[in-house]
Amino acid sequence: MSKLDEGSAPGEESVEPKQHRKLSSLILPGCWGALIASCLSFTPSLLPRGGIVQGVVWGISAAIGYGLGVFLASVWRAFADRDARRPRNWAWRAFLISASVLVTVFFGLGQYWQYLIRAMMGVSDYNVWLVVLSPLVAAGLFWLILLTGRGIRAAFRWTADLLGRWIGHRAARAVGWILVAGATYLVITGLLLQGFVSVANEAFSGRDTTTPEGVHQPTSALRSGGPGSLVPWDSLGRQGRVFAGGGPSPADIAGFTHHPAQDPIRTYAGLGSAKDTEARAALAVKELERAGGFRRKDLLVVTTTGSGWVDPASVDSFEYLNGGDTATVALQYSYLPSWMSYLVDQSKARQAGRDLFDAVYGAWSQLPPATRPRLFVAGESLGSFGGEAAFSGEQDLANRTAGTLFAGPPNFNTLFRQFSDHRDPGSPEVQPVYEDGRTVRFANDPGTAVPPSGQAWDGTRVLYLMHPSDPIVWWSPHLIFSEPDWIAETPGKDVLKGMVWIPFVTFWQVTADLPFSTGVPSGHGHSYKAEYVDGWNAVLHPSGTSAQDLDRLRKIIAAE
């Protein structure tokens, strides 16, 4: 038997030869590693976890723990210069008793921690039957990962044995590992991942031709797809039609401001509107010129999320606070939903953000400074990543815009990381202060004073909205091996104090939080809604807007 698969179960009379080893056999050091990792998987992360999600985290953690246990046992044997030994029966009994006690205790603690997180965020959804199923999900995923690993190892051994007929043993093993590792990488990235993306792209491209119920083609010439528009309604895509056909009316805005209001301009170019991003950006600018967007008081350039979605809470807030004297322009760069674009379409988001802003800025910069609108930039999630791509840093943002509002920036955002990593000493990562807040600031709750309080915020204002519990903001591959400052420091207001960093485990916990980041109430996770009212109020700094006005607008945006 292989050294890594010795001692498969209690009560065996003899060790089986390698070629007759049972596929389902487990070794004791690996089981201890799986037990420890399993218990740690119940510790809290950023968001509430349902039973299925907990089962996934549990199964992955157990598989990693098992592998680490096997690896450490092999390292120990190498230093001790001895072969594997079959564990005694009492060792297995001790493990089974320990496992029964520890899993029960940590399972109960896990439910308690999840209760605290749900209460803190106001989440009432809880399915006890899914919690009961979590051990089965964990067991199934554990065995799937384990058997996949053993299959890869078997392929390596077969390849090494085959190569050993022509080359030396050590060379055969080295070349075998290279060939199997390369083949595994090609299967995962080429066959599985690209195949999945192609199928998803085909499916979502079909959905992009549909129009949600209640969305109608505009009758105003101020909207893309309306009378006289250069962009056909059918070419806007699903999210483009939602954007062009939605938003507050002049009557809605006048009801808030108590003054006559204009009809906001909204222009958009979908994937079907032009052949590539540069052409769509040029078309969007022509559409903006046609609708009179460059004659408005404020002009907003929005980089969308994956499928072309523009957060209505952001644009609506912008329009209400400006009395409708606004123009907003955006374009689509993908069919895929945000979470998939987050993984595979980052380059498209970067290109779209750069091309759209450059096209708008090129036309805007040719206008007389006294009559052209103020130029603003916005983006949420992957849209903030694309929006940043048009700028080289703080001074570029200050020189070429009147203000910027980014919400839920992914951890890999270039400028976000630059500002956060070079924050002023003493400021926490969850709410950093950069260069005394002269241009760039960060807010967990923009309804309160945006730090640093007492410091002047003149000229261009750049504001990042980021919830302490937003996994989009904090997820990073670095979580595997290093503890981030946002965990080591005092936790944010909606993060449980019991959250700790654990190698491997925390990475998978936060990864599991990602798909459900918007499934929590506004003000938590990746759910930004009424926060846009205070965010845009801070960036625009409009005169004559009272605290009562902002409170009314928060209710309007929340109701939408």
Side-chain angles (χ1 to χ4, degrees):
M1 178 180 284
S2 164
K3 292 182 180 181
L4 298 184
D5 292 292
E6 188 91 33
S8 60
E12 287 185 333
E13 293 299 323
S14 61
V15 178
E16 295 178 315
K18 177 174 67 176
Q19 61 269 31
H20 298 301
R21 175 181 56 81
K22 293 181 180 179
L23 194 61
S24 61
S25 63
L26 297 173
I27 73 164
L28 190 56
C31 289
W32 276 108
L35 173 60
I36 294 171
S38 295
C39 292
L40 295 176
S41 73
F42 291 104
T43 56
S45 58
L46 295 173
L47 299 177
R49 290 198 297 269
I52 299 299
V53 178
Q54 178 58 57
V56 171
V57 175
W58 184 357
I60 293 175
S61 299
I64 293 173
Y66 183 87
L68 288 175
V70 170
F71 173 74
L72 292 176
S74 65
V75 171
W76 169 257
R77 289 196 299 271
F79 276 99
D81 194 23
R82 66 173 178 82
D83 293 330
R85 300 174 183 174
R86 184 169 67 87
R88 300 176 182 178
N89 287 341
W90 66 263
W92 277 106
R93 284 195 294 270
F95 167 77
L96 293 174
I97 294 172
S98 299
S100 300
V101 174
L102 289 174
V103 170
T104 301
V105 170
F106 275 88
F107 189 91
L109 285 173
Q111 297 311 304
Y112 173 68
W113 286 321
Q114 294 306 309
Y115 164 78
L116 293 179
I117 298 175
R118 290 196 302 271
M120 182 169 53
M121 296 187 177
V123 176
S124 58
D125 186 28
Y126 179 74
N127 191 321
V128 67
W129 292 110
L130 294 182
V131 175
V132 173
L133 285 174
S134 63
L136 299 179
V137 174
L141 188 56
F142 170 80
W143 278 108
L144 176 63
I145 295 173
L146 184 62
L147 295 180
T148 300
R150 288 180 173 176
I152 293 173
R153 185 179 61 185
F156 155 69
R157 287 174 172 169
W158 179 83
T159 304
D161 289 343
L162 183 64
L163 293 172
R165 300 176 184 177
W166 297 283
I167 60 178
H169 175 69
R170 292 181 178 178
R173 291 178 62 85
V175 175
W177 267 123
I178 294 173
L179 291 176
V180 171
T184 302
Y185 175 80
L186 291 176
V187 168
I188 293 175
T189 60
L191 181 62
L192 298 181
L193 181 59
Q194 291 303 319
F196 173 72
V197 170
S198 297
V199 171
N201 200 59
E202 186 69 24
F204 285 106
S205 65
R207 186 173 185 269
D208 198 56
T209 62
T210 65
T211 303
E213 185 177 354
V215 175
H216 304 288
Q217 185 172 359
T219 57
S220 169
L222 302 179
R223 303 294 179 97
S224 290
S229 174
L230 302 176
V231 186
W233 174 251
D234 291 341
S235 75
L236 292 176
R238 179 182 176 91
Q239 297 300 340
R241 287 188 285 273
V242 172
F243 170 71
S249 67
D252 294 331
I253 298 173
F256 165 69
T257 61
H258 303 299
H259 297 289
Q262 297 189 52
D263 191 0
I265 294 173
R266 292 189 174 193
T267 64
Y268 191 96
L271 282 173
S273 303
K275 61 179 181 179
D276 55 35
T277 305
E278 188 175 355
R280 287 192 292 275
L283 178 61
V285 170
K286 290 181 181 179
E287 176 76 346
L288 195 63
E289 293 172 334
R290 178 202 64 81
F294 289 106
R295 294 191 296 272
R296 289 300 175 97
K297 174 188 173 184
D298 288 331
L299 171 59
L300 176 62
V301 181
V302 177
T303 304
T304 67
T305 60
S307 58
W309 181 70
V310 177
D311 194 331
S314 176
V315 179
D316 290 2
S317 298
F318 183 79
E319 293 169 343
Y320 272 109
L321 289 170
N322 278 302
D325 193 5
T326 63
T328 303
V329 58
L331 60 78
Q332 181 185 15
Y333 55 84
S334 175
Y335 292 123
L336 300 177
S338 188
W339 68 271
M340 291 184 66
S341 297
Y342 181 78
L343 298 174
V344 300
D345 273 350
Q346 292 181 22
S347 61
K348 292 182 180 180
R350 183 188 295 110
Q351 188 69 37
R354 184 184 298 117
D355 286 348
L356 180 59
F357 181 82
D358 287 349
V360 173
Y361 184 80
W364 174 88
S365 62
Q366 300 301 313
L367 301 174
T371 59
R372 65 193 182 195
R374 294 190 300 172
L375 186 58
F376 294 88
V377 173
E380 179 177 324
S381 192
L382 196 59
S384 71
F385 173 75
E388 282 189 356
F391 305 95
S392 59
E394 177 195 26
Q395 292 304 316
D396 196 18
L397 282 163
N399 292 334
R400 296 203 290 161
T401 74
T404 299
L405 183 61
F406 289 140
N411 197 263
F412 54 73
N413 275 24
T414 303
L415 296 187
F416 171 69
R417 281 265 48 92
Q418 175 185 322
F419 300 147
S420 182
D421 291 344
H422 295 87
R423 62 187 180 274
D424 295 352
S427 65
E429 188 175 16
V430 293
Q431 195 162 21
V433 174
Y434 179 75
E435 297 291 349
D436 290 326
R438 63 187 181 188
T439 301
V440 179
R441 297 196 179 188
F442 302 81
N444 298 156
D445 181 7
T448 60
V450 178
S453 58
Q455 294 286 340
W457 199 8
D458 301 323
T460 296
R461 295 184 173 190
V462 177
L463 180 62
Y464 285 88
L465 301 180
M466 38 191 265
H467 296 146
S469 59
D470 187 350
I472 299 293
V473 176
W474 308 119
W475 182 91
S476 168
H478 298 298
L479 286 172
I480 298 176
F481 295 115
S482 60
E483 180 181 17
D485 291 342
W486 62 270
I487 293 181
E489 298 165 346
T490 302
K493 61 183 180 64
D494 61 346
V495 175
L496 207 63
K497 289 182 174 59
M499 183 177 181
V500 296
W501 176 76
I502 304 167
F504 294 102
V505 175
T506 300
F507 170 78
W508 288 112
Q509 288 177 329
V510 178
T511 300
D513 287 335
L514 291 174
F516 308 96
S517 58
T518 59
V520 291
S522 179
H524 306 285
H526 199 57
S527 182
Y528 299 87
K529 200 165 188 179
E531 295 92 330
Y532 277 116
V533 173
D534 297 296
W536 276 121
N537 181 64
V539 172
L540 294 168
H541 201 54
S543 59
T545 303
S546 66
Q548 292 75 19
D549 292 333
L550 294 176
D551 187 57
R552 287 192 298 114
L553 186 53
R554 289 188 205 102
K555 293 177 181 178
I556 293 172
I557 298 300
E560 293 177 351

